[in-house]
Amino acid sequence: MNDSENRAAIIKAAGVGKSVEVGGRALHILTDVGVSIQRGESIAIVGVSGSGKSTLLGLLAGLDLPSAGVIDLANHRITGMNEDQRAEVRARHVGFVFQSFQLLPNLTALENVQLPLEILNRADAGPAANAALDRVGLDARAIHYPRQLSGGEQQRAALARAFVTVPDILFADEPTGNLDNATGRRIADLLFELNDENQTTLVLVTHNLDLARRCNRVLTMDDGRLSE
């Protein structure tokens, strides 16, 4: 990789390891992982269950800290930050979509989508959230609670919430994993449409090889090591 490519990277990781103690012994989940992801790229991370995919995603997003190595996210060295500092970086630069949707059950679809805007003290939180729901075809379901929505509708609401701040980076962990094939394809189409419109860097973990092949690059996790 040349210097200009390295400077353009929005995510950089070098020598990243993650270990936990189990029964008095160290269990190595990730070993010497390095990756550089450019602005606007779409990256799929694939591998068998337990290979470390979701652990790596959480580290790259600053949800957890590695046991070794350094990670830069949106030009911030997040491995040198505390949780509050990492949370601020995430709020300003990152969106998330999870397999389990993770909508707050006591908030309506609209209120769920508004939440990241309110954290940023955005004066236009209401109109922007309405526009995001309209973009994913949920404008008629704005006042419904998650329990009143189908799985596909919940994932569309989660997508609207993830993209409402127009993040630099979107992390998606098995975004179609809990959906039937037809609904999963619709969610994938929407994911890449929003990604393309906003030139958002997309990093997703998936078991779905059809979804992975739609990305610019496919990275494979195997026993805690990453290869391309």
Side-chain angles (χ1 to χ4, degrees):
M1 178 177 299
N2 62 42
D3 288 343
S4 63
E5 286 177 319
N6 195 50
R7 282 196 297 271
I10 195 166
I11 303 171
K12 290 185 287 184
V16 169
K18 182 65 176 179
S19 301
V20 295
E21 190 171 304
V22 178
R25 299 181 61 183
L27 174 63
H28 301 293
I29 302 172
L30 298 177
T31 304
D32 195 25
V33 170
V35 66
S36 182
I37 299 171
Q38 312 305 307
R39 288 185 178 274
E41 263 197 301
S42 56
I43 302 292
I45 303 173
V46 302
V48 300
S49 296
S51 60
K53 304 185 302 298
S54 293
T55 297
L56 176 60
L57 196 75
L59 293 176
L60 294 179
L63 296 173
D64 193 11
L65 287 172
S67 306
V70 294
I71 299 171
D72 293 341
L73 178 67
N75 295 318
H76 298 276
R77 178 62 55 87
I78 58 172
T79 39
M81 294 181 171
N82 61 35
E83 170 53 29
D84 288 343
Q85 292 168 325
R86 298 198 311 276
E88 183 175 348
V89 172
R90 291 195 301 269
R92 297 191 177 280
H93 298 284
V94 172
F96 295 96
V97 180
F98 299 97
Q99 178 177 358
S100 56
F101 317 134
Q102 294 199 4
L103 299 173
L104 296 178
N106 296 324
L107 299 182
T108 65
L110 179 62
E111 290 166 341
N112 267 283
V113 176
Q114 281 180 292
L115 195 57
L117 296 169
E118 291 171 348
I119 290 172
L120 293 172
N121 295 314
R122 286 267 296 270
D124 64 338
N130 272 304
L133 281 174
D134 182 54
R135 177 65 185 82
V136 300
L138 281 184
D139 49 313
R141 306 286 267 163
I143 62 171
H144 290 76
Y145 291 90
R147 65 180 178 274
Q148 298 172 304
L149 304 175
S150 69
E153 288 171 335
Q154 289 186 64
Q155 193 61 301
R156 279 190 279 157
L159 270 177
R161 181 183 60 186
F163 274 100
V164 72
T165 60
V166 192
D168 296 312
I169 307 156
L170 178 72
F171 292 98
D173 194 354
E174 297 285 3
T176 62
N178 276 341
L179 307 174
D180 63 75
N181 289 338
T183 304
R185 283 193 295 271
R186 287 196 292 271
I187 291 297
D189 289 343
L190 190 56
L191 187 65
F192 283 98
E193 285 171 17
L194 293 166
N195 166 251
D196 185 59
E197 287 173 13
N198 299 312
Q199 285 301 293
T200 301
T201 303
L202 174 62
V203 184
L204 63 88
V205 161
T206 185
H207 282 99
N208 186 329
L209 294 183
D210 288 333
L211 179 59
R213 291 187 190 103
R214 296 182 64 171
C215 295
N216 299 136
R217 285 194 286 155
V218 178
L219 308 178
T220 301
M221 286 297 302
D222 183 13
D223 197 24
R225 295 183 181 273
L226 189 68
S227 62
E228 185 165 353

